Amino acid sequence: MMWPPSLLLLLLLLRRGTQAKPSPDAGPHGQGRVHHAAPLSEAPHDDAHGNFQYDHEAFLGREVAKEFDQLTPEESQARLGRIVDRMDRAGDGDGWVSLAELRSWIAHTQQRHIRDSVSAAWNTYDTDRDGRVGWEELRNATYGHYEPGEEFHDVEDAETYKKMLARDERRFRVADQDGDSMATREELTAFLHPEEFPHMRDIVIAVSGA
């Protein structure tokens, strides 16, 4: 299936006019935990009822979609036109946007979201600023500092948090491919977004089945 850029642009503008995850779990001290997936949008995927916010954010990315919400229809049309041209030029440049080109653009948008989320997490977890994230840094930033044997003594449902901590440690060990207990940016990306890495599939399946 292929659309001329002008038709795709019209479709996107019409959808914009109708607009009025898993999200990270919260740790015991309020910090965000890991990203169990990289959703294109946290909005419901509900085209059948005229809610196209999911499509809007999947196509543009969440941050860019917010910018578009502030534009006039004329400005929005001009910027969307440039994006559609970029989609075509990144493909075969034949003046049409194919389904493959649309999928490629959405995948690019998703990867940009992943990079941004990892960069934000890196600033939180690399507490000693040595360019790597150790398991202890990640654990303490997520769950708080505890002396050995006192884990979660100050929170309700401590057993649940202990299970979460054990699950995260297993996941970190799989992501840490060289086994040095220090995550590079690539290894932290595998920990936060395991669905993007073949070597993380077994741990994702194990957690999902738990």
Side-chain angles (χ1 to χ4, degrees):
M1 180 183 298
M2 303 178 73
W3 300 276
S6 58
L7 179 58
L8 179 61
L9 178 58
L10 177 61
L11 173 64
L12 291 168
L13 287 172
L14 287 173
R15 288 187 165 194
R16 179 176 184 269
T18 66
Q19 295 159 10
K21 84 185 174 190
S23 59
D25 298 326
H29 294 275
Q31 294 91 348
R33 293 184 60 251
V34 297
H35 303 268
H36 297 291
L40 294 174
S41 170
E42 292 182 359
H45 198 181
D46 190 22
D47 291 1
H49 295 88
N51 182 358
F52 299 113
Q53 184 68 24
Y54 182 99
D55 306 80
H56 189 187
E57 294 182 5
F59 181 79
L60 296 171
R62 278 178 248 178
E63 293 306 313
V64 177
K66 291 177 184 177
E67 294 178 17
F68 269 75
D69 288 340
Q70 307 304 315
L71 299 177
T72 66
E74 293 75 18
E75 292 172 326
S76 178
Q77 181 175 0
R79 288 187 60 178
L80 281 170
R82 290 194 291 270
I83 290 174
V84 169
D85 287 342
R86 286 172 58 192
M87 291 169 58
D88 182 39
R89 288 198 303 271
D92 53 22
D94 65 351
W96 294 76
V97 175
S98 67
L99 181 58
E101 288 168 341
L102 181 59
R103 285 174 172 165
S104 178
W105 177 265
I106 291 175
H108 166 75
T109 299
Q110 183 179 28
Q111 289 301 313
R112 184 173 59 198
H113 162 67
I114 290 173
R115 289 193 300 271
D116 290 346
S117 73
V118 171
S119 293
W122 190 270
N123 292 332
T124 298
Y125 296 140
D126 184 18
T127 54
D128 62 8
R129 299 296 183 258
D130 68 346
R132 297 185 299 172
V133 172
W135 164 245
E136 290 190 5
E137 286 180 293
L138 190 149
R139 180 194 63 200
N140 292 339
T142 302
Y143 293 100
H145 294 259
Y146 289 101
E147 294 298 325
E150 295 187 358
E151 290 85 355
F152 310 120
H153 70 280
D154 57 343
V155 298
E156 296 181 6
D157 202 4
E159 289 305 313
T160 296
Y161 284 116
K162 288 179 181 179
K163 291 178 182 178
M164 290 164 58
L165 176 61
R167 182 185 66 187
D168 286 350
E169 184 172 9
R170 289 195 301 271
R171 186 152 148 178
F172 185 91
R173 300 304 177 195
V174 175
D176 176 28
Q177 289 194 288
D178 58 12
D180 64 354
S181 295
M182 302 293 294
T184 63
R185 190 172 290 264
E186 181 77 1
E187 289 169 337
L188 184 65
T189 303
F191 173 77
L192 294 174
H193 299 279
E195 73 284 350
E196 300 294 322
F197 294 82
H199 71 277
M200 298 294 293
R201 287 175 184 164
D202 288 346
I203 194 70
V204 172
I205 293 171
V207 170
S208 299

